[in-house]
Amino acid sequence: MTFEVRPAEEASPADILSVIESAFDRPRGMDWYRWKHEDGPWGPSVGVVAVDGAKVIGVRLLLPWQFATKNGTPVLVHRAVEAATAPEAARRGVFSALNAALMEQFDPVFSTPNELSRPGYEKLGWTTREVAQHHYWPVLPGPTGGVSVAPTCETDLGVDVHAGRLQTAWEPRSLAWRFDPRSGERYTAAISETEQGPGGVVYRRFDRKGARVLLLLHRWGHQRSWRRALRAVATTERAAFVLSTSATKRLGLRRNHSLVTMWSKTSGVTLEGWHPDFVDLERVL
């Protein structure tokens, strides 16, 4: 191995960002880096870097991620996010070395990989399971009266706490971070109130094969209220379908699924029973 593995805090944010941008050939910007890796609600990112001489050639970052267990106890773990190797350092074992160092220093760690990266994790001894299915389902347009719509950064978002269920410890402050425009996405909130109480949704719009789709990331409050807000949005956005997650099979067209893979040598944390929504899964994470 002709490079050194060092703690990420020994490298400058600019050097780390440069490797991430070159590896994925996509500009991110320092605003994005500060949002994701410095201003996180559960603390700044940690991790390791590969250094050849004075040059950073590889990065593996972990985002602190807090869960609320089934009995409500908070548990802080690390989420493996950025894994980047500079193009000129490809096939030098950088990724393997960084992951070995990560597994030596941090426990527990989890990631939400795709099927392409799944074999690499399992080869390292991580355990993998399916945690959510993604489905398209048709949405009928509804009346827009009594429904307020605004960017999430201008809205007080609600949170549902599900007793007896493992979930990300979302609260208004962490949701404000999650939907920050510095993420590179623009999210919208729609809120309604019925006799049963208030409710709302957070979504973003996209087009697929000529159809307008609403990606449903977060919902809270009474079901009748958030469904009313969603139908109003379907009217204003001229959307015919919603894409959402589910822990079980449901009516609608299944698109794909999400995985969680985990490394835990001594902690005993498993994330068993975690069924994430798109607020936990969307690609900015």
Side-chain angles (χ1 to χ4, degrees), residues 256-280:
N256 52 28
H257 59 270
S258 287
L259 306 169
V260 63
T261 186
M262 186 148 193
W263 163 255
S264 180
K265 189 175 183 179
T266 60
S267 71
V269 177
T270 65
L271 301 190
E272 190 67 37
W274 183 47
H275 299 297
D277 292 326
F278 277 121
V279 64
D280 305 291

Side-chain angles (χ1 to χ4, degrees), residues 75-79 106-110 262-265 267-269:
V75 174
L76 187 67
V77 301
H78 284 95
R79 184 172 190 160
F106 300 96
D107 182 8
V109 180
F110 80 101
M262 186 148 193
W263 163 255
S264 180
K265 189 175 183 179
S267 71
V269 177

Side-chain angles (χ1 to χ4, degrees), residues 91-278:
R91 290 181 290 277
R92 289 177 57 185
V94 173
F95 179 77
S96 296
L98 292 177
N99 271 298
L102 177 151
M103 293 166 64
E104 190 69 28
Q105 298 177 36
F106 300 96
D107 182 8
V109 180
F110 80 101
S111 179
T112 46
N114 54 37
E115 288 290 357
L116 293 177
S117 56
R118 174 179 186 165
Y121 282 104
E122 293 180 343
K123 187 177 180 180
L124 291 169
W126 296 43
T127 57
T128 308
R129 64 184 178 86
E130 182 179 315
V131 290
Q133 298 182 8
H134 308 169
H135 293 267
Y136 289 101
W137 48 281
V139 57
L140 296 174
T144 59
V147 177
S148 61
V149 179
T152 52
C153 58
E154 301 174 5
T155 307
D156 293 327
L157 303 177
V159 182
D160 290 338
V161 177
H162 301 280
R165 171 179 149 187
L166 180 70
Q167 58 191 320
T168 302
W170 295 117
E171 42 83 33
R173 175 175 166 269
S174 54
L175 283 176
W177 166 82
R178 173 62 180 84
F179 296 122
D180 192 305
R182 291 179 296 169
S183 68
E185 297 289 356
R186 295 295 183 266
Y187 300 104
T188 304
I191 300 174
S192 176
E193 184 160 2
T194 62
E195 294 178 356
Q196 290 75 20
V201 297
V202 174
Y203 73 94
R204 70 174 178 85
R205 187 191 72 191
F206 68 96
D207 295 325
R208 181 171 176 81
K209 296 183 178 180
R212 184 67 52 82
V213 180
L214 303 176
L215 179 66
L216 180 60
L217 290 104
H218 176 60
R219 58 181 182 265
W220 74 93
H222 195 276
Q223 184 182 76
R224 184 172 181 180
S225 297
W226 70 253
R227 284 188 177 275
R228 179 185 176 191
L230 190 63
R231 291 184 62 191
V233 169
T235 300
T236 57
E237 299 283 5
R238 298 182 180 178
F241 296 93
V242 170
L243 177 60
S244 65
T245 64
S246 173
T248 58
K249 292 182 179 179
R250 64 185 301 173
L251 297 177
L253 176 64
R254 177 171 175 174
R255 180 193 179 196
N256 52 28
H257 59 270
S258 287
L259 306 169
V260 63
T261 186
M262 186 148 193
W263 163 255
S264 180
K265 189 175 183 179
T266 60
S267 71
V269 177
T270 65
L271 301 190
E272 190 67 37
W274 183 47
H275 299 297
D277 292 326
F278 277 121

Side-chain angles (χ1 to χ4, degrees), residues 13-84:
D15 286 343
I16 293 175
L17 178 62
S18 177
V19 173
I20 294 171
E21 291 183 327
S22 65
F24 297 104
D25 193 26
R26 178 183 174 187
R28 299 280 193 173
M30 192 53 70
D31 279 349
W32 169 86
Y33 183 89
R34 292 192 183 100
W35 161 74
K36 187 170 184 179
H37 296 299
E38 294 181 354
D39 299 339
W42 302 299
S45 295
V46 295
V48 289
V49 296
V51 181
D52 187 352
K55 183 176 176 60
V56 178
I57 60 171
V59 173
R60 194 68 165 112
L61 295 181
L62 303 178
L63 191 67
W65 199 266
Q66 187 160 300
F67 286 92
T69 61
K70 293 179 180 181
N71 62 8
T73 304
V75 174
L76 187 67
V77 301
H78 284 95
R79 184 172 190 160
V81 283
E82 262 62 61

